Amino acid sequence: SLRWLHLAYVQADANVAIRLSQSIVSTNTTVRCIGLSGNPDIGDLGGVAMAKAITNSGLQHLDLRYTGLGKATVIAISEELSRNQTSLRSLNLSKNNIGDDGVKLIADALAVNTSLKTLSLSQCGITCEGAAYFSQKLPQMNSIEQLFMYRNKITQEGGRLLTKGLEYNMSLLEFGIERAHLISSRAPSVLYKDVMAHFLRANKIGRRILREDNIHTATWSKILEIASSADMIFYLISQKPDLIKSY
């Protein structure tokens, strides 16, 4: 049975995407991964059609890099993700005209979606405005684990805001963004990248525990097993003093 369908750089247009979407929606397909990258003629007409395919299907991975997508597709995809009736785990929208308005819609969707784990938004024309809004929604995102925003127009202020939002996000394990956007222009010695790395490491050792009201002694064995350094253990204790009381 067919599970992977890759049609990258084959000059596919909107009609191809529409027919593909119709096939997925109307049949009990076994396809789990679809790659359509490098087909800029797909456009919003095809993009909106593919958005319909991610709901109530077994589709788990969708690559729409450089497919000529715009606002209409972003709206459609965001609506489907918000409904939480999808098995989609990874989505690549890089090299499309997403912009700040589009990334805001996506941020709203991720705040309620519980399936998507990996999202790529590189080269999507996102500026500091979009980064600021996304950072506000980061604490509400409980599913996303990998996020890539390379080669956008985020600037150092955007990097600072994203780092601030990450402080309260406990699901992200990897955040791809230029190092130049993670250095303070006012204080070059301040590396937002180091701060971001700190929170990502804390997420990897399971700092979701900070949201739990009742901490059991047995939790310590798990923390000591996965904690990579003493500073991570100290961080957890500083944020949740009840960990000491439970030991």
Side-chain angles (χ1 to χ4, degrees), residues 56-103:
N56 295 321
S57 72
L59 192 62
Q60 297 179 357
H61 309 280
L62 181 59
D63 186 353
L64 294 174
R65 278 175 298 166
Y66 185 41
T67 49
L69 307 182
K71 186 175 181 179
T73 300
V74 175
I75 291 175
I77 288 178
S78 297
E79 289 178 348
E80 299 302 331
L81 290 176
S82 297
R83 290 193 179 100
N84 261 327
Q85 297 177 345
T86 172
S87 301
L88 197 67
R89 294 179 60 83
S90 70
L91 175 64
N92 194 332
L93 296 175
S94 296
K95 295 186 178 181
N96 285 299
N97 187 27
I98 306 298
D100 291 330
D101 290 340
V103 81

Side-chain angles (χ1 to χ4, degrees), residues 84 106-114 133-144 165-172 208 211:
N84 261 327
I106 293 172
D108 288 337
L110 293 181
V112 297
N113 179 267
T114 58
Y133 189 87
F134 201 94
S135 70
Q136 294 174 8
K137 293 293 181 176
L138 268 172
Q140 301 172 41
M141 299 179 191
N142 296 315
S143 176
I144 198 75
L166 184 57
E167 180 178 359
Y168 302 102
N169 172 283
M170 300 189 181
S171 67
L172 265 177
R208 287 177 183 268
R211 291 180 175 174

Side-chain angles (χ1 to χ4, degrees), residues 197-198 201-202 205 227-238:
H198 169 81
R201 285 173 57 208
I205 68 169
S228 57
S229 60
D231 68 311
M232 284 291 99
I233 296 177
F234 176 79
Y235 167 76
L236 290 175
I237 294 174
S238 66

Side-chain angles (χ1 to χ4, degrees), residues 13 44 51 62 72 75 95 99 107 129 157 174 213 220-221 232 237:
D13 59 13
D44 274 332
L62 181 59
I75 291 175
K95 295 186 178 181
E129 178 186 341
E157 175 62 12
E174 184 177 0
D213 294 328
W220 264 107
S221 60
M232 284 291 99
I237 294 174

Side-chain angles (χ1 to χ4, degrees), residues 150 155-156 159 176-184 188-194:
Y150 290 113
T155 75
Q156 294 167 337
I177 186 174
E178 275 84 1
R179 186 177 184 277
H181 296 158
L182 299 175
I183 302 176
S184 171
S189 61
V190 177
L191 297 179
Y192 300 134
K193 184 175 183 179
D194 293 342

